[in-house]
Amino acid sequence: MAEPIRLPPQPEACELCARATPLTRHHLIPKALHSKPYVQKRYARSERITATLWVCRACHNQIHRLFGEKELALTYNSREALLGDERLRVFVAWLAGKPDGFMPRH
């Protein structure tokens, strides 16, 4: 019998801006693409499921504003890759200085 796939535990703060605020799970390889052959070829099933970040709603919204799903799956599929994009890095740095409950208006 295969080992059960375990998701990473939820941290106390957003894995991008480090604010202690309610968190959502961001799938680094978007769930909508898990059945696509180009995704299945690149990532094992366990990696597709467990590659996640716990992020606040503001960071999560910004990720999806900046990147399409295919771009997320192929290029921005790690915390480091996401923060490698200057637009997201600048947003996260700005948001990190805001109070925990702060939500930007877009």
Side-chain angles (χ1 to χ4, degrees), residues 28-71:
L28 291 163
I29 302 154
K31 286 194 311 186
L33 303 182
H34 284 194
S35 63
K36 301 286 186 198
Y38 70 89
V39 169
Q40 290 183 350
K41 247 192 299 194
R42 282 180 175 78
Y43 309 104
R45 179 175 176 269
S46 62
E47 187 178 6
R48 293 191 304 266
I49 293 169
T50 61
T52 61
L53 278 182
W54 283 99
V55 294
C56 68
R57 176 46 56 198
C59 284
H60 207 164
N61 289 350
Q62 189 67 8
I63 289 168
H64 288 285
R65 243 183 229 105
L66 291 174
F67 311 112
E69 291 196 334
K70 190 169 185 178
E71 204 176 6

Side-chain angles (χ1 to χ4, degrees), residues 7-42:
L7 293 169
Q10 183 174 339
E12 297 294 314
C14 176
E15 292 187 80
L16 291 176
C17 72
R19 296 181 313 141
T21 189
L23 302 176
T24 62
R25 185 187 310 274
H26 169 67
H27 291 84
L28 291 163
I29 302 154
K31 286 194 311 186
L33 303 182
H34 284 194
S35 63
K36 301 286 186 198
Y38 70 89
V39 169
Q40 290 183 350
K41 247 192 299 194
R42 282 180 175 78

